[in-house]
Amino acid sequence: MASVQIREAKEEDCGDILRLIRELAEYEKLSDQVKISEEALRADGFGENPLYHCLVAETPPAPGQLPGPRLVGYGLYYFIYSTWKGRSVYLEDIYVMPEYQGQGIGSKIIKKVAEVALEAGCTQFRLMVLDWNKRAVDLYKVLGAHDLTEAEGWHAFCFEGQAMKALAGR
Amino acid sequence: MASVQIREAKEEDCGDILRLIRELAEYEKLSDQVKISEEALRADGFGENPLYHCLVAETPPAPGQLPGPRLVGYGLYYFIYSTWKGRSVYLEDIYVMPEYQGQGIGSKIIKKVAEVALEAGCTQFRLMVLDWNKRAVDLYKVLGAHDLTEAEGWHAFCFEGQAMKALAGR
């Protein structure tokens, strides 16, 4: 099998990235929450001050397939700021299509994010995972991640929609 | 009692902000994790492309106190990117000194963050809280936040130090 290449996303990948974002949300049983558009992904990730960065996993076409790249996974990250450790990286999403799992593509994406983080002077990178996603949890633990929710009790909270408007007095 | 004012932090507040960051970490029983310096806070938050934004709660001096501002709380936030909802705000830290709690200062900071988020076109803001910090958990719930860890099972993971270097092959 020809090897999968991990590279930085280009603006013209956004249609494929949106397809993968939707697949991941479906796997997470939360696909009703996806409100993003291809246009927003293009505008937000590829201007002068990109709001995110994205790595994609690309396969060459299989025999008989139409030529051209095929994206089978992605890792979308951005820089955050820890008041304890300073500049840090946050891996918002990581996904590999089911038929390409088990080949180490996810690990390659995570390793590349760790390289980016170190090069940017970060001493940590964070991510979130659903506790029932055992495959992902096991991978992150094998690669050396700590579960801060389990160890220290961190819970993620979110204000959105009407609650946020009410807070802001709108 | 003279009212507390919520305003944007200035570079010269960084000494006070660091004091409050350390107080919060001590309350969270995680003060050994604070590695940040005042110099880093100054450089990272107040240049051309600030890595974070900060609100501070300031009291006027009490009778008999030395004149000058006194910072008694802060909220430190930055912009993140949701692949479901687009640009979002993350409230990294929020803290009010114990003797100033119960006056609604925390709520005022959260409301101001919601205003900033709406003005920037965000439809959500996120934060993390320790599950035993009942006072904070109750406040966020009263204000309309959802506990995504409880509702959906999200766990926070972190790669750092040696694990991150090993990942990056260093």
Side-chain angles (χ1 to χ4, degrees):
Chain A
M1 187 182 291
S3 75
V4 167
Q5 188 205 347
I6 311 295
R7 62 164 173 80
E8 283 180 28
K10 297 175 225 163
E11 191 180 336
E12 55 265 37
D13 296 325
C14 285
D16 272 315
I17 294 169
L18 181 57
R19 166 179 59 84
L20 296 168
I21 287 172
R22 288 188 176 136
E23 280 187 29
L24 172 58
E26 196 164 328
Y27 174 74
E28 292 176 329
K29 299 166 192 165
L30 295 164
S31 53
D32 59 310
Q33 301 204 21
V34 181
K35 309 291 179 203
I36 203 104
S37 67
E38 182 181 335
E39 291 64 40
L41 287 171
R42 283 176 177 261
D44 294 343
F46 299 89
E48 270 206 17
N49 288 303
L51 303 180
Y52 69 85
H53 306 275
C54 191
L55 299 169
V56 291
E58 184 175 61
T59 52
Q65 254 190 347
L66 289 174
R70 179 144 196 259
L71 301 193
V72 300
Y74 75 108
L76 188 146
Y77 66 93
Y78 43 78
F79 291 94
I80 59 171
Y81 197 78
S82 161
T83 48
W84 297 348
K85 311 281 168 67
R87 196 181 201 204
S88 305
V89 160
Y90 186 82
L91 182 60
E92 172 79 13
D93 276 3
I94 178 168
Y95 177 68
V96 176
M97 290 171 69
E99 57 269 42
Y100 290 87
Q101 289 177 9
Q103 297 177 34
I105 300 173
S107 300
K108 275 188 195 165
I109 293 173
I110 290 174
K111 285 175 183 181
K112 183 71 191 163
V113 174
E115 283 171 33
V116 169
L118 276 180
E119 273 160 29
C122 305
T123 60
Q124 64 170 358
F125 86 84
R126 301 190 211 157
L127 52 84
M128 300 272 283
V129 63
L130 288 160
D131 56 4
W132 54 259
N133 189 354
K134 196 172 174 321
R135 187 183 184 107
V137 166
D138 288 349
L139 173 64
Y140 304 150
K141 286 189 174 171
V142 162
L143 293 176
H146 293 283
D147 181 341
L148 299 181
T149 299
E150 194 175 81
E152 297 169 358
W154 292 102
H155 277 225
F157 274 64
C158 185
F159 292 95
E160 58 184 319
Q162 204 46 53
M164 205 169 81
K165 282 185 193 159
L167 270 182
R170 303 270 172 99
Chain B
M1 185 183 290
S3 75
V4 167
Q5 189 205 346
I6 312 296
R7 62 164 173 82
E8 282 180 29
K10 300 175 221 161
E11 190 179 337
E12 54 266 35
D13 295 324
C14 285
D16 272 314
I17 294 169
L18 181 57
R19 166 178 61 80
L20 295 168
I21 287 171
R22 287 187 175 134
E23 280 186 30
L24 172 58
E26 197 164 327
Y27 173 72
E28 292 176 330
K29 301 168 192 163
L30 295 164
S31 54
D32 58 310
Q33 299 204 24
V34 181
K35 309 292 180 202
I36 203 102
S37 66
E38 183 182 335
E39 291 65 39
L41 287 171
R42 282 177 177 261
D44 293 342
F46 299 89
E48 271 207 17
N49 288 303
L51 303 180
Y52 69 85
H53 306 274
C54 191
L55 299 169
V56 291
E58 184 175 61
T59 53
Q65 254 190 349
L66 289 174
R70 182 146 193 261
L71 301 193
V72 301
Y74 75 109
L76 189 145
Y77 65 94
Y78 43 79
F79 291 93
I80 59 173
Y81 197 79
S82 161
T83 48
W84 297 348
K85 313 279 169 70
R87 197 181 200 204
S88 305
V89 160
Y90 186 84
L91 182 60
E92 172 79 14
D93 277 1
I94 177 166
Y95 177 68
V96 176
M97 289 171 69
E99 58 269 44
Y100 290 88
Q101 289 176 9
Q103 299 177 32
I105 301 173
S107 300
K108 276 188 193 164
I109 293 172
I110 289 174
K111 285 175 183 181
K112 182 73 192 160
V113 173
E115 284 171 32
V116 169
L118 275 180
E119 273 159 30
C122 305
T123 60
Q124 62 169 0
F125 85 86
R126 301 190 211 157
L127 52 83
M128 300 271 285
V129 62
L130 288 160
D131 55 4
W132 53 260
N133 188 355
K134 195 172 174 325
R135 187 184 184 105
V137 166
D138 288 348
L139 173 64
Y140 305 150
K141 285 188 175 171
V142 163
L143 293 176
H146 293 283
D147 181 340
L148 300 181
T149 299
E150 197 176 81
E152 297 169 358
W154 292 102
H155 277 224
F157 274 64
C158 184
F159 291 95
E160 57 185 319
Q162 204 46 53
M164 206 170 79
K165 283 185 191 158
L167 270 182
R170 304 270 172 97

